[in-house]
Amino acid sequence: SAAGAKLRSLSVQSQGDTGYWVLAPRAGSVVQLDAVAGKQVGPDREHPVATIADLDEVLVVADLPQKDAAVLDPGGGVVVRLPGSQVEVAGTIDVISDVLDADRQTVPVRVRVANEVHKLRPHSYVEATFSSLPDERVVQVPSEAVVSDGSTSVVFVETEPGVLRRRPVQLGRQSAERAEVMSGLNAGERVVVRGALLLLNALDVKG
């Protein structure tokens, strides 16, 4: 029938009187599903029923200071790590942006990473080490340690027992749990994590 031919052209297979299988046009993983049993779908939907992505290769975007991005070249080696795990995979620099992020003053660098075992998931927060850069550890702090003082990000550093100082910092990548500090804080310095926001207007904090 014409209806059956139309269904076959859309890669839809019927199962009984009310069941249908929608066949994916390509192999991959379902990364978004906007359908539940009994929900009506049609060609006028604003969003697709399902989104499929090939996760055998993923893209990682790293935000680097200008001085570091200036010495990188496409094709350079990168090691990508998943924080808190033993996952470590190799990648290569794909694109170095010509545009500077105005807020962070960093340069987005896109990295292609082989991901055959699907250890890296979309929207994951990862660490990237570039082979052509000095092996420097990135300073990280809990996100709640960073507070906004107008247009400036600050942390409160314990410079001596009982003495706290407001310290402006420049941030890199951020997640709900961690924030990279690109400048303004040294590794090993103690910062206030809980209650940092309350300290902004505290009179006993030395600025």
Side-chain angles (χ1 to χ4, degrees), residues 72-79 91-94 96 111-112 129-132:
L72 298 178
D73 294 301
V78 186
V79 175
T92 56
I93 298 173
D94 183 38
I96 302 170
V111 178
R112 288 190 176 274
T129 301
F130 293 80
S131 59
S132 57

Side-chain angles (χ1 to χ4, degrees), residues 21-98:
W21 285 97
V22 180
L23 304 182
R26 54 177 292 184
S29 301
V30 177
V31 295
Q32 185 173 352
L33 182 63
D34 185 22
V36 294
K39 185 175 183 179
Q40 185 175 0
V41 298
D44 57 345
R45 281 176 55 90
E46 183 177 351
H47 302 290
V49 174
T51 302
I52 299 173
D54 181 2
L55 299 182
D56 287 347
E57 183 182 65
V58 296
L59 296 176
V60 172
V61 177
D63 293 329
L64 299 182
Q66 293 186 70
K67 64 180 180 63
D68 290 340
V71 301
L72 298 178
D73 294 301
V78 186
V79 175
V80 176
R81 299 179 181 86
L82 193 61
S85 75
Q86 300 298 316
V87 176
E88 181 176 297
V89 292
T92 56
I93 298 173
D94 183 38
V95 175
I96 302 170
S97 177
D98 293 328

Side-chain angles (χ1 to χ4, degrees), residues 143-161:
S143 293
E144 58 185 322
V146 182
V147 293
S148 178
D149 187 6
S151 60
T152 304
S153 296
V154 301
V155 296
F156 289 97
V157 182
E158 185 180 42
T159 56
E160 56 185 276

Side-chain angles (χ1 to χ4, degrees), residues 83-142:
S85 75
Q86 300 298 316
V87 176
E88 181 176 297
V89 292
T92 56
I93 298 173
D94 183 38
V95 175
I96 302 170
S97 177
D98 293 328
V99 180
L100 182 72
D101 186 301
D103 295 327
R104 297 180 180 176
Q105 290 294 295
T106 54
V107 178
V109 177
R110 192 171 71 186
V111 178
R112 288 190 176 274
V113 182
N115 188 42
E116 289 87 353
V117 293
H118 294 186
K119 292 295 186 180
L120 301 180
R121 295 176 172 84
H123 310 299
S124 296
Y125 180 78
V126 298
E127 299 173 349
T129 301
F130 293 80
S131 59
S132 57
L133 294 179
D135 186 13
E136 299 177 349
R137 292 185 177 273
V138 176
V139 177
Q140 295 186 349
V141 297

